[in-house]
Amino acid sequence: MVDRLANSEANTRRISIVENCFGAAGQPLTIPGRVLIGEGVLTKLCRKKPKARQFFLFNDILVYGNIVIQKKKYNKQHIIPLENVTIDSIQDEGDLRNGWLIKTPTKSFAVYAATATEKSEWMNHINKCVSDLLSKSGKTPSNEHAAVWVPDSEATVCMRCQKAKFTPVNRRHHCRKCGFVVCGPCSEKRFLLPSQSSKPVRICDFCYDLLSTGEMTACQSTRSDSYSQSPKSSINDASDDDDDEDSSD
């Protein structure tokens, strides 16, 4: 079915509409063989609180952005090559239900659908697209992924030293290797993680010691691990932050 749609007029028109919704700031999305599989609003777990984001699933990429005007205008376009994606289901907890992890070498995050049916459909379609891409390219699934950041609201004290309390003066920072929320003194070091940045990035002392000695896999935490260690954030959390992919903290 995807092959039949690839060069169809209807598919070209649908992709053109998506391009127009992102405006001049968005990257062109129309290329030969690309097919728009589906679209919808998912709740993305951002650093400060869960936020609604518009997602578009193509046969080779996943695109999402901030909703400015529903169905008409989006900004902060993000494009994720599906060949690098792996997904894992997340257990329901409190207000955060019907979720799964989207993991890539560059960034990883949690998203939540409105219903269990939507979650199943999204996960099935993403897995099918990834499987088809890997089958055609002969590549193997990615076994490396960036840590999922623990939301700020899940840590009142540093998750490494367990002593430093966070205040407006004592700010929260995130380790780029394990995703933990840590204090400044526990994350003063930088380390080059080529899949995430061309420059050394902030990591906690614990991960730095392991990375420096070559024990890299030992400091890689998973989203499910951090969920089990701390209280859950609420979808109704009152905070007004922008999306945090480019945050330096």
Side-chain angles (χ1 to χ4, degrees):
M1 180 179 177
V2 170
D3 292 336
R4 291 203 308 270
L5 289 172
N7 299 311
S8 72
E9 192 173 315
N11 177 65
T12 301
R13 185 167 59 251
R14 291 175 67 199
I15 296 179
S16 177
I17 291 172
V18 176
E19 285 183 338
N20 292 335
C21 286
F22 278 103
Q27 295 184 40
L29 299 172
T30 303
I31 65 169
R34 177 168 290 165
V35 175
L36 178 59
I37 305 295
E39 62 183 271
V41 177
L42 298 174
T43 298
K44 179 178 179 289
L45 195 59
C46 298
R47 175 180 175 180
K48 294 187 181 295
K49 68 173 184 177
K51 293 184 174 182
R53 297 285 182 257
Q54 181 73 26
F55 281 76
F56 300 92
L57 177 63
F58 297 83
N59 59 330
D60 62 334
I61 57 173
L62 182 66
V63 178
Y64 71 92
N66 294 4
I67 301 170
V68 180
I69 303 175
Q70 183 66 43
K71 302 272 186 193
K72 292 184 179 180
K73 186 177 181 182
Y74 312 108
N75 64 13
K76 294 189 177 180
Q77 182 192 68
H78 298 270
I79 300 177
I80 302 174
L82 286 178
E83 275 191 347
N84 299 327
V85 169
T86 56
I87 58 175
D88 289 325
S89 181
I90 302 174
Q91 290 186 347
D92 293 344
E93 181 108 21
D95 291 330
L96 299 176
R97 307 178 65 82
N98 309 314
W100 68 96
L101 299 179
I102 296 175
K103 302 188 296 184
T104 80
T106 304
K107 89 174 59 166
S108 303
F109 53 90
V111 293
Y112 297 84
T115 66
T117 299
E118 285 186 26
K119 170 185 175 179
S120 177
E121 290 177 348
W122 271 102
M123 292 188 70
N124 287 339
H125 283 307
I126 292 173
N127 275 328
K128 178 66 164 59
C129 289
V130 173
S131 176
D132 288 347
L133 282 171
L134 294 176
S135 177
K136 289 179 180 178
S137 67
K139 296 180 181 179
T140 57
S142 176
N143 58 6
E144 179 187 5
H145 62 84
V148 180
W149 283 19
V150 176
D152 285 0
S153 58
E154 294 188 11
T156 56
V157 299
C158 174
M159 297 177 71
R160 285 305 182 193
C161 69
Q162 299 291 323
K163 295 177 182 178
K165 293 184 178 180
F166 295 120
T167 67
V169 176
N170 188 29
R171 298 174 56 202
R172 293 171 171 82
H173 301 278
H174 278 83
C175 171
R176 299 308 196 271
K177 183 60 180 174
C178 67
F180 278 16
V181 184
V182 291
C183 64
C186 284
S187 60
E188 292 179 339
K189 297 182 175 66
R190 300 287 192 274
F191 199 92
L192 181 63
L193 301 177
S195 62
Q196 295 189 40
S197 174
S198 59
K199 300 178 180 179
V201 294
R202 180 188 293 271
I203 62 173
C204 68
D205 291 348
F206 178 77
C207 288
Y208 182 85
D209 291 342
L210 291 175
L211 286 164
S212 298
T213 57
E215 301 177 34
M216 298 183 67
T217 57
C219 63
Q220 180 67 60
S221 72
T222 64
R223 185 64 200 158
S224 57
D225 290 339
S226 57
Y227 268 175
S228 65
Q229 295 171 9
S230 53
K232 310 301 176 289
S233 59
S234 167
I235 287 180
N236 296 317
D237 182 17
S239 179
D240 185 22
D241 64 316
D242 291 327
D243 216 350
D244 0 86
E245 282 79 0
D246 300 322
S247 170
S248 59
D249 292 331

